[in-house]
Amino acid sequence: MPIVYDELLALDIPVREVSYTDRETMLYALSTGMGQDSMDLDELPFVFEKNLKALPSLATVICWDDSWTPRTGINYVMVVHGEQRITMHKPLPAAGRVKAKIRIRDVFDKGAGKGAIMLVENTISDAASGEKLVTLLSTTFARGDGGFGGPVRKPEELPPKPHAIPDRKPDAGVTLKTQPNQALFYRLCGDRNPLHAEPAFAAAAGFPRPILHGLCTYGIAVRAVVKAACDHDPSRIADINARFTAPVFPGETIHTEIWRDGNIVSFRARVMERDAVVLDHGRVELRG
């Protein structure tokens, strides 16, 4: 069924309360490639329960829930993840009980045959105190749902232009060789879409083999920024945003380029084997 704009924005998605432990925190870090070197004492606190640290991008999986998506009326066979933003109101604890409230913040009609853009906001709060911890903002490009008759937009109401990567050589770079079974590990964090596991499903979607989750690539880039710009201190990150531009196949090598300008860090990730940019327009705001 086609998108009904007012109904989509009024969609009531129940608050979800979940607990996560050190197991989920360590599994996530392992699934983004941390801990491959058992003698790396900088990464050990992310994969070992002693003085455990949480990557900021853990927030994208601890409350994973896509059960509400059939209610939107969007053709999810034609959907791709466009952008992901994480705003850290407080550093994410390594374990806790949280509440997540999802709402559809807006939908932009690009026109018949051009698709639609849906903004989905997920606010994660401490279940006991109600204190806001993280706000996630996802941009979904619904390629098959343009022309539903969304409101006419003024220029200032349109999504902002993507962050511009500096026109100079990167100040740093981090390279990670992904594992052939990395998507099989990452899907245990929440997103069990068979696109990332089953060859026949991947073929039906037009891929020669299962692809890595886009949010796994995102987590790998966040890990690179934490390493190169934060001296492995994830509490320094206040805000992260990036655009997905191409898929990664498990086993490929991801190189994250990093530029530093005061408390703003720009980043871009590419697959070295194909020289393909897979994340672009990355922007991180640091505290202090």
Side-chain angles (χ1 to χ4, degrees):
M1 62 181 181
I3 290 175
V4 179
Y5 179 80
D6 292 336
E7 292 182 6
L8 194 55
L9 264 61
L11 188 67
D12 183 23
I13 303 168
V15 173
R16 187 163 180 255
E17 185 169 335
V18 298
S19 292
Y20 67 100
T21 69
D22 59 359
R23 180 184 185 279
E24 285 74 31
T25 300
M26 291 185 284
L27 175 62
Y28 177 78
L30 290 167
S31 299
T32 59
M34 300 193 88
Q36 292 186 22
D37 181 356
S38 62
M39 297 301 292
D40 188 333
L41 299 183
D42 291 321
E43 289 194 353
L44 186 61
F46 294 89
V47 296
F48 179 53
E49 59 270 20
K50 185 178 180 181
N51 301 318
L52 185 63
K53 300 177 182 179
L55 283 169
S57 47
L58 171 67
T60 62
V61 300
I62 56 173
C63 299
W64 180 264
D65 178 23
D66 56 3
S67 62
W68 54 272
T69 56
R71 299 169 54 198
T72 63
I74 287 174
N75 179 6
Y76 266 81
V77 176
M78 297 291 289
V79 158
V80 293
H81 201 156
E83 296 185 34
Q84 180 66 56
R85 182 175 184 178
I86 305 174
T87 301
M88 307 295 300
H89 306 292
K90 292 194 66 178
L92 194 65
R97 187 162 186 82
V98 296
K99 290 183 177 180
K101 177 58 180 174
I102 297 174
R103 73 180 181 101
I104 297 172
R105 202 161 90 176
D106 213 339
V107 188
F108 300 90
D109 189 354
K110 293 175 67 68
K114 297 180 181 179
I117 296 174
M118 181 170 71
L119 302 184
V120 180
E121 181 183 270
N122 187 359
T123 303
I124 300 174
S125 305
D126 181 86
S129 68
E131 187 175 26
K132 189 185 297 186
L133 299 173
V134 185
T135 299
L136 306 174
L137 184 62
S138 302
T139 300
T140 298
F141 181 33
R143 295 173 293 169
D145 293 283
F148 63 85
V152 176
R153 304 287 184 159
K154 299 176 182 177
E156 62 270 19
E157 294 175 326
L158 296 173
K161 293 182 178 180
H163 173 67
I165 296 295
D167 186 19
R168 67 174 193 269
K169 290 184 178 180
D171 299 311
V174 178
T175 302
L176 174 72
K177 174 75 172 178
T178 65
Q179 301 301 309
N181 59 355
Q182 191 141 4
L184 299 178
F185 278 107
Y186 187 86
R187 68 192 302 269
L188 299 180
C189 296
D191 183 358
R192 297 201 178 191
N193 188 330
L195 175 64
H196 309 293
E198 188 176 9
F201 194 98
F207 297 103
R209 55 195 174 98
I211 63 175
L212 194 64
H213 302 68
L215 281 176
C216 183
T217 302
Y218 186 94
I220 288 168
V222 171
R223 167 200 169 187
V225 171
V226 168
K227 173 185 175 71
C230 303
D231 195 24
H232 289 94
D233 180 4
S235 68
R236 291 196 59 201
I237 290 185
D239 192 88
I240 315 163
N241 194 22
R243 176 172 290 187
F244 301 92
T245 52
V248 175
F249 294 101
E252 292 185 319
T253 306
I254 298 174
H255 180 71
T256 304
E257 303 166 302
I258 295 168
W259 293 260
R260 297 179 233 186
D261 294 287
N263 68 333
I264 301 299
V265 176
S266 304
F267 68 94
R268 177 172 60 205
R270 67 176 70 239
V271 164
M272 297 180 69
E273 289 84 351
R274 294 181 282 122
D275 193 29
V277 175
V278 294
L279 281 179
D280 207 354
H281 306 291
R283 181 187 184 277
V284 174
E285 182 177 345
L286 302 179
R287 291 188 175 90

